[in-house]
């Protein structure tokens, strides 16, 4: 964090305050004589993008300079990295079936883990009162409970770190007036989404702790709440990464063409298809067929038909396969289309990276399926989904930064 923030801060704070008022040395600003006296300049003609509040008489900075924008961009890049870590850790927590091990939620109190044998036994006793222990883990030992408890504890503590990484620097930048009016709205939305994400996580966990007397199924959280929890995390990640790239990457200099416009639209559609296929269940451990057929017979088992899309594991996996194949096909077509258009080097690199990530993700997904979902490979596959989404965002940002 210090390596990212200190150099631009020193460049910003170490410069003399008088430089903010030094006008640009434009040819038209000279009076034409040898005395070198400049004509009065129009408002906004200063050596930085900073607007100085001259009327207040205090010289307070109201908009960010280029150096401040770079600091904010680096901060948001770090924020997106912490969100990515939370998504990956949450996936591992779900794969190890650890998410229901902590049966209550306290913002401050639960930050201190059990330390003595008595405290651990009390925590284990609380867990034994809920359906997951009674139905699934009735023979679990205290040592096994400690493992799943620490998995969930790590996920929750990481979530608190994410909140601090967003909120504390945001307050500092706001006080220093390094945020423009538009950026203030965006930062407020991001911080609000972080808080909402924490509450949504506990709302999801509660669905797996509820007693269901008429059901003997394995206790699990609601798939709707899980999708909402993951979806909001991805929205937070995408918004943070997109804003960071927009602040850090310089704009390209390339004329608009019909081919470039079509490529930009095609890239947007490809990313949308990929996001729709992020989550799925695993039922048939075979590929390319599902069992003995291309289209399984139990796709529409539930009634009404619409329930199958959200609750039928076979339909969910079938949708995931179709969307995955469609996404990699679209990304491949996007890559070959990009080769026919003169693009900046960085944009071409983004297209190649996206293609490599797509095929890597396909290999990981098929391997995970055929090997009956081993936890390390499944976690890598989930991480690959986030990497592929990042590559799609990078390419879309590069295409957007080509002037229209």
């Amino acid at each position: 964090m210090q390596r990212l923030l200190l150099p631009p801060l020193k460049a910003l704070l170490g410069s003399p305050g008088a430089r903010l008022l030094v006008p640009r040395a434009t040819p038209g600003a000279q009076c034409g004589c040898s005395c070198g006296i400049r004509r009065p300049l129009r408002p906004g003609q200063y050596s930085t993008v900073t607007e100085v509040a001259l009327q207040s008489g205090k010289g307070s900075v109201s908009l960010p300079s280029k150096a401040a924008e770079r600091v904010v961009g680096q901060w948001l890049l770090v924020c997106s990295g912490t969100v990515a870590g939370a998504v990956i850790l949450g996936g591992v927590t779900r794969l190890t079936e650890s998410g229901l091990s902590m049966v209550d939620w306290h913002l401050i109190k639960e930050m201190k883990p059990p330390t003595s044998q008595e405290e651990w036994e009390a925590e284990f006793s609380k867990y034994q009162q809920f359906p997951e222990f009674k139905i699934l883990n009735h023979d679990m030992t205290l040592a096994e409970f400690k493992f799943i408890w620490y998995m969930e504890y790590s996920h929750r503590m990481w979530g608190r770190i994410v909140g601090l990484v967003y909120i504390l620097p945001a307050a500092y930048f706001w006080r220093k007036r390094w945020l423009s009016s538009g950026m203030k709205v965006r930062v407020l939305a991001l911080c609000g989404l972080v808080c909402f994400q924490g509450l949504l996580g506990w709302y999801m966990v509660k669905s797996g702790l509820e007693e269901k007397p008429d059901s003997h199924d394995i206790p699990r959280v609601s798939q709707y709440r899980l999708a909402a929890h993951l979806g909001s995390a991805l929205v937070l990640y995408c918004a943070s990464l997109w804003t960071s790239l927009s602040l850090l990457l310089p704009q390209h200099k390339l004329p608009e063409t019909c081919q470039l416009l079509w490529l930009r639209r095609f890239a947007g559609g490809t990313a949308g298809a990929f996001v729709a296929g992020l989550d799925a269940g695993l039922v048939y451990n075979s590929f390319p067929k599902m069992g003995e057929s291309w289209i399984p017979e139990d796709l529409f088992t539930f009634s009404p038909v619409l329930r199958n899309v959200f609750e039928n594991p076979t339909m969910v996996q079938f949708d995931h396969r179709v969307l995955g194949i469609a996404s990699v096909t679209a990304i491949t077509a996007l890559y070959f289309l990009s080769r026919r258009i003169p693009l900046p080097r960085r944009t071409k690199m983004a297209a190649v990276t996206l293609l490599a990530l797509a095929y890597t993700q396909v290999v990981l997904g098929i391997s995970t399926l055929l090997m009956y979902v081993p936890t390390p490979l499944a976690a890598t596959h989930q991480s690959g989904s986030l990497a592929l989404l990042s590559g799609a965002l990078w390419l879309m940002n590069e295409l957007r930064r080509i002037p229209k």
Side-chain angles (χ1 to χ4, degrees):
M1 188 75 171
Q2 291 180 344
R3 293 179 182 176
L4 289 173
L5 297 181
L6 285 179
L9 280 173
K10 290 179 179 178
L12 180 69
L13 300 178
S15 59
R19 291 183 183 176
L20 293 174
L21 297 177
V22 176
R24 293 191 184 96
T26 55
Q30 300 289 344
C31 66
C33 62
S34 59
C35 62
I37 300 175
R38 302 175 184 270
R39 295 176 182 174
L41 298 177
R42 296 189 306 274
Q45 283 187 309
Y46 294 99
S47 57
T48 70
V49 297
T50 306
E51 294 290 342
V52 181
L54 295 175
Q55 296 180 356
S56 66
K58 298 179 181 179
S60 59
V61 178
S62 61
L63 288 180
S65 67
K66 285 295 184 182
E69 285 182 359
R70 186 163 185 82
V71 173
V72 173
Q74 291 172 339
W75 161 59
L76 289 174
L77 188 61
V78 172
C79 288
S80 63
T82 60
V83 176
V87 172
I88 294 170
L89 186 56
V92 176
T93 302
R94 182 171 64 86
L95 289 168
T96 55
E97 299 181 347
S98 307
L100 300 178
S101 57
M102 297 180 70
V103 296
D104 47 18
W105 189 87
H106 302 283
L107 183 61
I108 304 298
K109 182 180 177 181
E110 71 179 25
M111 294 179 67
K112 179 182 178 296
T115 53
S116 65
Q117 182 70 15
E118 292 76 14
E119 290 178 345
W120 273 115
E121 290 178 353
E123 192 71 25
F124 191 29
S125 177
K126 289 192 294 183
Y127 174 69
Q128 292 172 341
Q129 301 172 20
F130 288 87
E132 185 176 69
F133 177 82
K134 296 177 182 179
I135 298 175
L136 183 63
N137 295 330
H138 52 83
D139 57 348
M140 175 176 281
T141 64
L142 180 60
E144 293 171 335
F145 171 72
K146 287 182 179 181
F147 171 77
I148 63 172
W149 192 93
Y150 270 121
M151 288 297 303
E152 174 65 9
Y153 175 79
S154 300
H155 183 50
R156 294 192 185 190
M157 291 303 103
W158 188 266
R160 285 165 172 77
I161 292 174
V162 172
L164 293 176
V165 170
Y166 271 92
I167 294 173
L168 294 182
Y172 178 79
F173 296 147
W174 193 297
R175 181 179 177 82
K176 289 292 184 179
R177 296 189 177 184
W178 289 0
L179 305 174
S180 64
S181 56
M183 187 58 65
K184 285 181 178 179
V185 174
R186 190 169 299 188
V187 167
L188 278 178
L190 292 175
C191 292
L193 190 56
V194 169
C195 298
F196 172 75
Q197 177 71 2
L199 297 175
L200 189 57
W202 172 240
Y203 180 64
M204 176 193 69
V205 170
K206 282 186 64 177
S207 66
L209 300 175
E210 297 171 353
E211 293 279 357
K212 299 176 182 178
D214 299 331
S215 175
H216 296 283
D217 292 338
I218 296 175
R220 55 172 57 91
V221 299
S222 165
Q223 67 269 35
Y224 300 104
R225 299 186 191 183
L226 174 61
H229 186 50
L230 175 61
S232 62
L234 292 175
V235 169
L236 179 63
Y237 174 77
C238 292
S240 302
L241 182 60
W242 181 271
T243 306
S244 172
L245 293 176
S246 300
L247 292 173
L248 294 176
L249 297 180
Q251 193 173 38
H252 297 298
K253 296 180 179 180
L254 194 71
E256 180 70 281
T257 63
C258 293
Q259 286 182 314
L260 183 57
L261 181 60
W262 196 84
L263 178 65
R264 188 181 281 131
R265 292 174 178 173
F266 188 76
T270 300
F274 168 70
V275 172
L278 269 178
D279 194 25
L282 297 178
V283 180
Y284 290 90
N285 297 96
S286 58
F287 189 87
K289 291 184 177 181
M290 297 182 69
E292 297 298 327
S293 59
W294 293 99
I295 301 178
E297 298 178 355
D298 54 344
L299 280 180
F300 301 99
T301 303
F302 296 170
S303 180
V305 175
L306 187 61
R307 280 185 59 200
N308 291 278
V309 178
F310 305 103
E311 300 181 15
N312 185 345
T314 301
M315 175 64 85
V316 172
Q317 188 188 130
F318 181 79
D319 291 343
H320 183 62
R321 292 186 183 211
V322 171
L323 287 168
I325 294 171
S327 296
V328 75
T329 303
I331 289 172
T332 303
L334 177 67
Y335 169 73
F336 284 108
L337 178 63
S338 68
R339 295 190 61 180
R340 301 171 56 186
I341 302 174
L343 295 173
R345 181 175 178 272
R346 201 175 65 211
T347 307
K348 290 182 178 180
M349 186 183 301
V352 172
T353 302
L354 181 62
L355 182 70
L357 288 171
Y359 279 94
T360 302
Q361 184 68 353
V362 168
V363 173
L364 287 172
I366 296 174
S367 302
T368 302
L369 190 67
L370 297 180
M371 297 177 68
Y372 292 86
V373 202
T375 298
L377 192 57
T380 305
H381 181 51
Q382 291 184 345
S383 304
S385 299
L386 201 60
L388 184 56
L389 178 59
S390 304
L393 287 174
W394 179 24
L395 179 58
M396 291 178 64
N397 191 278
E398 291 289 346
L399 293 174
R400 187 189 69 87
R401 297 185 72 78
I402 297 175
K404 298 181 179 180

